Amino acid sequence: MTSTVHRIAVLALNDVVGLDLGTPAQLFGAARTDDRRPLYDVATCTPGGRAVRSTAGFQVLPDHGLDLLVTADTVVVPGMRSGPPMTDGTIDPAVAEALRGAHRRGARVMSICTGAFVLAAAGLLDGHPATTHWAYADRFRRLHPGIDLDPDVLFIDTGRVLTSAGVAAGIDLCLHVIRIDHGSDVANRAARRCVVPPWRDGGQAQYIERPVPRAPVSDTAATRDWARRRLHEPVALRDLAAHARMSVRTFTRHFRSETGLSPAQWLLQQRTDHARLLLETTDLTVDQVAHRCGFGSTAALRQHLHARIGVSPSAYRRTFRRTR
């Protein structure tokens, strides 16, 4: 774990969403070492250092202008509700160049909610999959038809360019970044301090408005809890359906409606997340981790972990294993 404080610049534009603006400072500010030292330094900037409006009825008076992006390790663009990025897909050239310059320099660039419109207008999403608030997906596609938009997920991480879905999904993205930077233990402590879940199941598909109300018997939460306690065991779809007292077909339909994932996808996600935690916090061998998480073999764990985060179990442990 590095001792250098990571510098984060939050770029606020006119009509910035209040919650989006405050999320990075709150979440990254809660990420600390065991002896309570901060791991991130978060500052806010605007074009020219000028005041900008927020959607919450107050103005933002920043301490910095766009020069803050020159030294930032990460740049976060919160969502907004109006302005050229939202109406015609354009952006102030000075803002675009500042964002592109930060990215060229090696900074990580991420957006919350409709901040993806800003990154797209700056050309930073070209060739990358992206997401934004589901309610603005059609508008985004009209303005940027060449970008592969996935409105069903909570966030997308392509390496140095990250985008998140609407509003509270910014919390999920910030916790994901903390977890990547410093491991699950630090991210979980930050989540507890902010009184939010360390991760959420599924994607934003579960929050999209539907014309037909859900059926009254659609709660699979108890079965998900039951399955989490049995990650070390083989759990088949028919076992899940039987626990929920539903047919396989009905259970699958309700499960996807509630989580945005199929039961198999969700179970694999749970097994992988548990494996990451064990790799970080225990001295179990990789083979033992694989069996405790229900993968059955080291090869299966290696395959799924690499598909999920791009590294092997051993490499992940070397990066995130806490020194005891």
Side-chain angles (χ1 to χ4, degrees):
M1 186 180 298
T2 180
S3 59
T4 304
V5 176
H6 188 102
R7 295 161 298 186
I8 297 180
V10 181
L11 173 59
L13 302 180
N14 262 328
D15 229 7
V16 64
V17 177
L19 179 59
D20 294 1
L21 177 64
T23 292
Q26 188 69 39
L27 270 296
F28 289 115
R32 295 175 177 267
T33 62
D34 288 343
D35 57 358
R36 309 284 299 152
R37 288 183 294 106
L39 291 166
Y40 298 92
D41 177 32
V42 184
T44 301
C45 66
T46 63
R50 298 183 295 272
V52 297
R53 299 182 306 275
S54 80
T55 59
F58 60 81
Q59 287 193 326
V60 180
L61 301 174
D63 292 331
H64 305 276
L66 293 176
D67 57 305
L68 187 66
L69 275 60
V70 175
T71 58
D73 300 304
T74 294
V75 178
V76 184
V77 182
M80 77 238 15
R81 287 293 179 267
S82 67
M86 298 286 296
T87 56
D88 57 21
T90 62
I91 193 175
D92 181 336
V95 173
E97 182 51 37
L99 287 169
R100 288 195 292 263
H103 183 260
R104 284 195 301 268
R105 185 174 46 77
R108 178 170 54 199
V109 181
M110 50 194 279
S111 65
I112 298 175
C113 193
T114 52
F117 283 79
V118 176
L119 299 191
L124 294 181
L125 297 184
D126 294 346
H128 295 288
T131 191
T132 189
H133 194 298
W134 62 265
Y136 294 90
D138 289 342
R139 182 187 301 190
F140 188 96
R141 289 191 177 108
R142 286 196 303 271
L143 294 174
H144 306 287
I147 295 175
D148 180 16
L149 184 74
D150 184 352
D152 291 338
V153 296
L154 292 176
F155 59 82
I156 290 179
D157 179 354
T158 65
R160 288 198 298 114
V161 180
L162 304 87
T163 53
S164 71
V167 197
I171 297 173
D172 299 289
L173 179 58
C174 290
L175 288 172
H176 167 74
V177 168
I178 295 170
R179 189 173 294 111
I180 292 298
D181 288 350
H182 299 288
S184 295
D185 195 43
V186 173
N188 291 348
R189 288 204 307 267
R192 286 194 294 271
R193 177 170 291 275
C194 295
V195 199
V196 296
W199 60 75
R200 287 191 289 168
D201 297 332
Q204 67 170 324
Q206 60 190 304
Y207 302 104
I208 296 176
E209 294 175 354
R210 294 172 172 82
V212 180
R214 294 178 182 175
V217 182
S218 61
D219 186 9
T220 63
T223 297
R224 295 200 299 274
D225 289 339
W226 177 83
R228 284 192 192 95
R229 295 192 296 271
R230 290 163 175 79
L231 294 178
H232 59 289
E233 301 175 2
V235 177
L237 174 58
R238 62 179 179 273
D239 299 324
L240 297 170
H243 182 272
R245 298 182 179 179
M246 300 179 190
S247 69
V248 168
R249 183 175 180 179
T250 299
F251 175 79
T252 301
R253 184 174 69 253
H254 290 321
F255 194 98
R256 185 179 287 278
S257 175
E258 292 174 37
T259 69
L261 297 171
S262 71
Q265 290 170 327
W266 177 87
L267 194 57
L268 179 59
Q269 182 184 82
Q270 300 303 307
R271 294 190 193 283
T272 306
D273 287 338
H274 190 48
R276 291 169 66 179
L277 182 63
L278 293 180
L279 288 169
E280 292 175 25
T281 60
T282 74
D283 295 316
L284 296 171
T285 67
V286 174
D287 187 60
Q288 289 173 324
V289 170
H291 284 84
R292 289 202 181 191
C293 296
F295 284 109
S297 69
T298 302
L301 170 59
R302 184 180 299 111
Q303 174 189 348
H304 291 297
L305 192 67
H306 194 279
R308 178 84 180 274
I309 58 176
V311 297
S312 69
S314 297
Y316 183 83
R317 169 168 271 171
R318 284 195 300 272
T319 302
F320 294 111
R321 182 75 166 91
R322 296 185 59 206
T323 302
R324 292 186 181 275

